[in-house]
Amino acid sequence: MNAISPTDLSHPTSVRRATRRDWAALAVLTLAVVLLAIDGTVLSLAVPALTADLDPSATQLLWIGDIYSFALAGLLVTMGNVADRVGRKRLLMIGSVGFAAASVLAAFAPTAETLILARALLGLTAATLMPSTLSIIRNVFEDARQRTTAIAVWSAGAMGGAAVGPLVGGYLLEHFWWGSVFLINVPVMVVLVAAGAFLIPESRNPRPGPFDPLSAVLSMLSIVPVVYAVKQLAGHGWGWDVAVAALVGIASGVVFVRRQRSLTTPLVDVGLFRNAAFSGAVVTNLIASFALSGLLFFFSQYLQLVRGYGPLEAGIREMPVTIASIVVIGFVGVTAARLGRGRAIGAGMGAAGIGLVALAFAEGSPDYLWIALSLVLVGLGLGIGSTLTTDAVMASVPRERAGAASSISETAYELGVALGIALLGSLQAVFYRTNLNLTGTLPAEVEAQVTDSLASASRALGSSTAPGAGETLVHAQEAFTHAMQLTSGVAAFLLLAAAAVAWRVIPSPRAAPTVEH
C-alpha cells in the first residue's frame, strides 16, 4: 500500500482546501446517512400495524425484521470494492434510485412475501450507499482538519438519524398507514439524486485490478451466518441452527483471509490490520457500537415501561445524546490536533464510559435531569470517538482504496450493533429474571409472562384485577431498573476497555496527519 504513516507530521503544500460546493456535497451525503439511520429504526414501531394488515407468520415477521441487516452487513465489503471500481458517485446514484424503488415496493407490499423481498432490496441498496458516502468524503476533503470535521458531520448524521427515527416513525404512524414509514424515503432520495448529480464529484480507483467473485461470496458467508447466529441466540437460545451458522461463518472467514493473502488484488487487504491506527480504530469502533447499541435498545424500553413516557416523549428524552454528538463538530478537530488522534479517541471513549456509569446511578433517581446530564457526557464522548475512529480508518489507506476501507469500518459497526443488541440484551434479560422475586400468588401463565420480559409483564399486569398485580408490576419495574444499572456498568467497562485500546494502540501525533495521495 502507498499510505503515508500517520505519524508523519509534514504537511504538503499541494493539499486542496474544500470549497463551498464541497461542503454542500457533504450536506447531500449526510442526508443519505440520516435517512438510512432513520430507516433502520422505524420498522419496529410499524410491526403491530403491518401485522394486522398483512397477517405474516411468526417466521415471516422475523425475516421482515432481519433480512435488511443480513443483506446490508453481508454486502458492505463487496459494494465498497465495487464503488472503487465503477465510481463512488455512480454507485451512490444507482443505489439511491434503487433504495427509492424498494421503498415504494415495501410501502405498498400486498403480502408478507413481497415485504420480505422489498426489505432485502433495501438492505442491498443501503450497502451501496454507506461506503460510497464515506469514501466520497475521503476523496473530496483532502485537508486532514477539514476531513475530520466532515466525518464529524457524517457521524452526527448517523447518530441523529437513529435518534430521530422513532420520532418520525411515531408521527407518521399516528397520522398515516404503516407504509408511510417507507414511502417517506422517496422524496429524500429524489433530492439526493438531483442535488448529488450536480454537487458530488466522481472518483474511483484508477488501477483497481481484477475483481474476485469468490472473495465476494466468501465475505458474505463470513458475515451473514455470524449475524444470523447472534440474532437467533438472543431471540431463541442455543440450537443446532445457531451452531451450524456460527461454524459456517468462522470457517468461511478463515478461508476468506487466506485467500486475500494469496491474491495480488485482494477484496480486503488484510495487511492493513498490521497498521496500528487502522486495526485499533476498527476494534474500538466495534466495541463502541457493541456497548452503545445494546444499551440504548433497552434504554428506550426503560423510559417507556418504567418511567411511563410515551414513544414520542421517550424519543425526545433520548435526544441529549444526539445534540451532544452534534456539538462535537465544533471542536473535534482541535481536540485531535492537541491530544493526538489515539489519545483523543481514548479520552472520548473514556468520557462515554464515565457517562454510562453516571447513567447507571441516574436510572435509580426520580429526577430526569441526572439522566439528561449523563446522556450528554455519553454523546460528547461517543461523538469524539466515533468521528476519530472513522477518520483513522480512512486516513490509513490511499484515497483510491477509500471504498474498501469504509466498507470495513461500516461492517465492524454493523457487527457491533448486532452483537450488542443480542449479547447485552441477553445479559439484561438474565439480570432482570435474577432480580425477580415472585410470590406465587398470581396464575402460572401470568407469572410466566412476567418472567419473560418487562414488556410482557406490563401487558399482563397493567389492566389485571388479580390480587397483587399492581405490586408485582412495580417489583418487575424495579427488577428491570436494577438490570439496566448492571448492564450499563458492563457497557461502561467495555467502553473504558475501548478507551485503553485506542490510547495505547492508535498513534497520537500532536498535529493533523498528512493526507495521502
Side-chain angles (χ1 to χ4, degrees):
M1 303 299 291
N2 297 320
I4 295 175
S5 170
T7 59
D8 182 358
L9 302 184
S10 59
H11 223 302
T13 58
S14 60
V15 171
R16 184 183 71 87
R17 298 282 294 177
T19 65
R20 289 182 179 178
R21 179 169 177 169
D22 295 329
W23 292 107
L26 174 65
V28 175
L29 297 172
T30 304
L31 180 65
V33 174
V34 170
L35 180 63
L36 290 177
I38 290 175
D39 201 69
T41 57
V42 298
L43 179 67
S44 59
L45 295 173
V47 165
L50 70 86
T51 300
D53 191 12
L54 301 181
D55 192 26
S57 66
T59 301
Q60 288 175 327
L61 192 59
L62 285 175
W63 278 108
I64 290 171
D66 291 342
I67 193 66
Y68 176 87
S69 58
F70 291 162
L72 174 60
L75 290 168
L76 277 170
V77 171
T78 298
M79 290 304 176
N81 280 268
V82 170
D84 286 338
R85 286 167 166 78
V86 306
R88 290 126 191 171
K89 175 181 177 178
R90 177 180 296 178
L91 190 63
L92 180 67
M93 296 294 103
I94 294 172
S96 299
V97 173
F99 196 85
S103 297
V104 173
L105 180 62
F108 296 102
T111 64
E113 292 84 357
T114 305
L115 184 55
I116 292 171
L117 172 63
R119 289 279 293 168
L121 293 174
L122 284 169
L124 186 155
T125 50
T128 70
L129 298 176
M130 291 300 288
S132 295
T133 58
L134 195 52
S135 57
I136 290 171
I137 290 173
R138 173 66 179 85
N139 279 268
V140 169
F141 293 90
E142 297 182 16
D143 180 82
R145 292 272 186 95
Q146 290 186 325
R147 186 186 63 236
T148 300
T149 300
I151 291 177
V153 173
W154 182 90
S155 298
M159 293 184 67
V164 170
L167 304 182
V168 173
Y171 176 82
L172 290 173
L173 292 170
E174 284 183 5
H175 296 85
F176 307 100
W177 95 113
W178 61 265
S180 62
V181 301
F182 297 110
L183 204 59
I184 193 177
N185 298 338
V186 178
V188 177
M189 285 301 171
V190 170
V191 172
L192 191 155
V193 171
F198 172 72
L199 294 170
I200 299 173
E202 183 60 282
S203 62
R204 60 171 57 86
N205 186 347
R207 296 177 297 276
F211 181 79
D212 183 40
L214 180 57
S215 291
V217 173
L218 287 171
S219 72
M220 293 180 63
L221 290 176
S222 303
I223 297 169
V224 174
V226 172
V227 175
Y228 172 84
V230 169
K231 285 178 173 288
Q232 287 294 104
L233 183 63
H236 306 283
W238 185 261
W240 66 266
D241 57 334
V242 173
V244 170
L247 288 174
V248 169
I250 293 171
S252 299
V254 171
V255 176
F256 175 78
V257 170
R258 289 181 176 177
R259 183 167 182 80
Q260 302 316 292
R261 289 175 174 170
S262 68
L263 294 174
T264 304
T265 308
L267 196 68
V268 173
D269 183 4
V270 294
L272 283 173
F273 288 93
R274 291 194 292 269
N275 183 318
F278 184 90
S279 58
V282 170
V283 171
T284 302
N285 192 22
L286 189 150
I287 295 175
S289 61
F290 176 96
L292 183 68
S293 62
L295 177 71
L296 291 185
F297 181 77
F298 286 92
F299 184 67
S300 179
Q301 295 184 42
Y302 162 80
L303 290 176
Q304 295 181 61
L305 300 177
V306 177
R307 293 273 175 166
Y309 299 125
L312 182 61
E313 293 175 306
I316 292 172
R317 283 166 175 78
E318 290 181 23
M319 289 299 290
V321 172
T322 304
I323 295 171
S325 69
I326 293 173
V327 171
V328 162
I329 295 171
F331 62 85
V332 64
V334 175
T335 302
R338 291 186 176 178
L339 294 179
R341 183 183 284 139
R343 285 189 286 269
I345 294 172
M349 293 299 179
I354 294 171
L356 285 183
V357 172
L359 184 62
F361 286 100
E363 285 165 347
S365 169
D367 193 347
Y368 167 75
L369 175 63
W370 298 110
I371 292 179
L373 293 175
S374 302
L375 291 176
V376 167
L377 189 56
V378 172
L380 290 173
L382 287 178
I384 294 172
S386 62
T387 295
L388 295 179
T389 53
T390 303
D391 191 30
V393 169
M394 301 310 296
S396 300
V397 299
R399 292 167 59 195
E400 60 267 20
R401 292 285 289 165
S406 63
S407 67
I408 295 173
S409 177
E410 289 300 321
T411 299
Y413 175 82
E414 292 296 331
L415 285 175
V417 170
L419 290 169
I421 292 175
L423 300 184
L424 285 183
S426 298
L427 193 62
Q428 163 78 17
V430 169
F431 287 149
Y432 167 70
R433 290 163 188 159
T434 302
N435 282 283
L436 278 176
N437 185 20
L438 300 178
T439 61
T441 58
L442 295 172
E445 61 273 14
V446 174
E447 289 203 353
Q449 289 180 287
V450 174
T451 304
D452 181 60
S453 67
L454 180 58
S456 297
S458 298
R459 286 193 298 269
L461 299 173
S463 58
S464 176
T465 58
E471 292 82 355
T472 302
L473 179 57
V474 171
H475 178 63
Q477 291 171 335
E478 292 173 348
F480 188 89
T481 300
H482 189 55
M484 279 291 299
Q485 292 175 307
L486 294 174
T487 306
S488 298
V490 173
F493 173 81
L494 292 172
L495 285 177
L496 293 173
V501 169
W503 191 281
R504 294 182 60 86
V505 174
I506 301 176
S508 296
R510 292 180 182 270
T514 299
V515 178
E516 302 82 359
H517 292 280

mmCIF file of all heavy atoms in Angstrom, residues 117 222 283 288 466:
data_model
loop_
_atom_site.group_PDB
_atom_site.id
_atom_site.type_symbol
_atom_site.label_atom_id
_atom_site.label_comp_id
_atom_site.label_asym_id
_atom_site.label_seq_id
_atom_site.Cartn_x
_atom_site.Cartn_y
_atom_site.Cartn_z
ATOM 1 N N LEU A 117 -39.122 -9.380 0.346
ATOM 2 C CA LEU A 117 -38.324 -9.075 -0.835
ATOM 3 C C LEU A 117 -37.913 -7.605 -0.847
ATOM 4 O O LEU A 117 -36.743 -7.272 -1.125
ATOM 5 C CB LEU A 117 -39.111 -9.415 -2.102
ATOM 6 C CG LEU A 117 -38.476 -8.973 -3.435
ATOM 7 C CD1 LEU A 117 -37.136 -9.679 -3.645
ATOM 8 C CD2 LEU A 117 -39.425 -9.245 -4.595
ATOM 9 N N SER A 222 -18.907 -15.161 5.489
ATOM 10 C CA SER A 222 -18.212 -14.918 6.746
ATOM 11 C C SER A 222 -19.031 -14.067 7.702
ATOM 12 O O SER A 222 -18.859 -14.158 8.916
ATOM 13 C CB SER A 222 -16.869 -14.215 6.473
ATOM 14 O OG SER A 222 -16.063 -14.962 5.609
ATOM 15 N N VAL A 283 -11.240 -1.981 15.811
ATOM 16 C CA VAL A 283 -11.610 -2.676 17.045
ATOM 17 C C VAL A 283 -12.343 -1.735 18.000
ATOM 18 O O VAL A 283 -13.363 -2.106 18.605
ATOM 19 C CB VAL A 283 -10.356 -3.265 17.728
ATOM 20 C CG1 VAL A 283 -10.697 -3.791 19.121
ATOM 21 C CG2 VAL A 283 -9.765 -4.380 16.882
ATOM 22 N N ALA A 288 -17.311 0.063 20.660
ATOM 23 C CA ALA A 288 -18.187 1.195 20.993
ATOM 24 C C ALA A 288 -19.603 0.967 20.494
ATOM 25 O O ALA A 288 -20.580 1.202 21.223
ATOM 26 C CB ALA A 288 -17.621 2.483 20.401
ATOM 27 N N ALA A 466 -56.227 -9.009 39.328
ATOM 28 C CA ALA A 466 -55.820 -10.074 40.243
ATOM 29 C C ALA A 466 -55.137 -9.489 41.474
ATOM 30 O O ALA A 466 -54.436 -8.469 41.375
ATOM 31 C CB ALA A 466 -54.881 -11.050 39.536
#
